[in-house]
Amino acid sequence: MTTQQERRDYIVPGPIDKELLRLQPQHRSEGIWNGTVEHEVVTCRRQGLILHTDIDDRIVPHLRDSGFISIARLGFFSLDWHLISAFVERWRPETHTFMMPIGECTITLQDVSIISGLPVHGSAVTGMSRADWPEVCETLLGARPPPEMIRGHTLKLSWLVDEFGDIPHQADDLTVLWHARAFILRLISSIFPDKTNSRVNLMFLPLLEDLREAATYSWGGACLAFLYRELCRVAVTETKEISGPLFILQIWAWERFKIISPSIRDPSAPHDAPLVTTHVLPQIRYNLDRMRPEDVII
């Protein structure tokens, strides 16, 4: 008969020295070892509708000027909730690193830059929390949202979708600019999702007034900070949901750890054949616990 210890030999029961990792009693890994959240997968919330959208050629120059062209072309792919859950369990808020058997590792600004193409140098991304938001929208988007579409400093995404669909064939340059800003605002909602997953923070809109100047902001730095904050929040609380730019975490994990990266089952299959992923949390934990130095791409 399999004992409890034998069933759970895929995870180490906490840190040896708790002087640094002082949050262990509240950490998610403690519940896994105790058997209270052994098979619980974190729900990954995302706003990825814009990544399904075709990009009109007329807004491409504006996307390039603003620094959002690469992430706009990244496209949509499904998130592996099991993989993300396994990495949440290894994230330590005390050090902002993932604890692995062979040492610590983390996602860096360089990783974010390579994966997303977002600028990582420049001014911090900050904005106003109070303004006449309908007036700001009318000035920068060319349309005033109905009062029910704005709540506080957030705008309902459905209004952006309905108002800025296909660009009219005879649209002038200003109309194309308005559509470009709306497109970027929806992209931003996929990087910094509202907890309702249906709104975008309007504090970002004034930063898009001059799209060339927008490229001087460290959007990649803000992206990484948001991801760190979400990992810290979920790692040491009982919450069952995580949001943020989780695509960064997933692509980074695929690139760095060969033992969990997707593969093509049939080597003779065409290059665009679907990749095979694990999607089984205990198996991913097992693989990570038995990681060797040669399994990591530095």
Side-chain angles (χ1 to χ4, degrees), residues 105-169:
C105 56
T106 196
I107 305 170
T108 66
L109 282 174
Q110 184 183 46
D111 294 315
V112 173
S113 177
I114 293 172
I115 293 170
S116 70
L118 291 170
V120 296
H121 302 288
S123 303
V125 176
T126 59
M128 303 177 294
S129 60
R130 294 183 181 181
D132 185 345
W133 295 119
E135 181 69 24
V136 172
C137 289
E138 187 169 18
T139 301
L140 298 180
L141 298 176
R144 179 181 286 263
E148 65 271 17
M149 292 295 165
I150 294 181
R151 185 174 66 201
H153 49 82
T154 64
L155 174 66
K156 203 161 181 61
L157 287 168
S158 59
W159 180 81
L160 283 174
V161 175
D162 295 339
E163 190 71 25
F164 298 93
D166 294 336
I167 305 175
H169 181 66

Side-chain angles (χ1 to χ4, degrees), residues 26-70:
Q26 295 85 41
H27 198 271
R28 190 175 184 83
S29 62
E30 188 78 5
I32 296 166
W33 180 249
N34 294 332
T36 57
V37 292
E38 188 171 3
H39 300 292
E40 186 176 284
V41 178
V42 175
T43 298
C44 301
R45 294 188 289 104
R46 73 188 302 192
Q47 174 49 249
L49 182 62
I50 187 63
L51 299 178
H52 288 286
T53 306
D54 293 332
I55 305 173
D56 191 298
D57 289 340
R58 287 170 289 180
I59 71 169
V60 168
H62 295 301
L63 294 177
R64 189 173 289 115
D65 287 344
S66 63
F68 284 90
I69 185 63
S70 294

Side-chain angles (χ1 to χ4, degrees), residues 218-272:
S218 178
W219 295 100
C223 173
L224 184 60
F226 196 102
L227 178 59
Y228 274 22
R229 186 180 70 175
E230 281 294 295
L231 288 168
C232 291
R233 181 180 65 84
V234 178
V236 293
T237 65
E238 295 181 357
T239 182
K240 299 179 181 180
E241 295 184 338
I242 186 172
S243 65
L246 300 173
F247 66 93
I248 295 288
L249 169 57
Q250 183 163 315
I251 295 175
W252 173 82
W254 283 348
E255 288 288 332
R256 297 295 186 182
F257 304 100
K258 295 185 290 184
I259 54 174
I260 60 168
S261 60
S263 60
I264 297 177
R265 183 169 293 167
D266 182 2
S268 63
H271 71 279
D272 58 349

Side-chain angles (χ1 to χ4, degrees), residues 143-209:
R144 179 181 286 263
E148 65 271 17
M149 292 295 165
I150 294 181
R151 185 174 66 201
H153 49 82
T154 64
L155 174 66
K156 203 161 181 61
L157 287 168
S158 59
W159 180 81
L160 283 174
V161 175
D162 295 339
E163 190 71 25
F164 298 93
D166 294 336
I167 305 175
H169 181 66
Q170 300 295 335
D172 58 21
D173 291 344
L174 183 57
T175 300
V176 171
L177 177 59
W178 289 336
H179 277 262
R181 289 191 184 121
F183 188 94
I184 295 170
L185 197 59
R186 291 178 62 193
L187 274 178
I188 289 173
S189 75
S190 69
I191 304 171
F192 311 104
D194 174 81
K195 61 183 179 181
T196 66
N197 231 28
S198 63
R199 293 179 171 272
V200 62
N201 197 319
L202 282 169
M203 77 169 191
F204 298 112
L205 183 53
L207 303 181
L208 305 178
E209 181 174 3

Side-chain angles (χ1 to χ4, degrees), residues 59-92:
I59 71 169
V60 168
H62 295 301
L63 294 177
R64 189 173 289 115
D65 287 344
S66 63
F68 284 90
I69 185 63
S70 294
I71 197 168
R73 287 175 168 165
L74 185 62
F76 180 85
F77 60 89
S78 299
L79 291 177
D80 186 338
W81 293 11
H82 295 257
L83 181 149
I84 290 170
S85 298
F87 276 82
V88 167
E89 295 164 4
R90 291 181 173 274
W91 179 260
R92 300 305 308 208

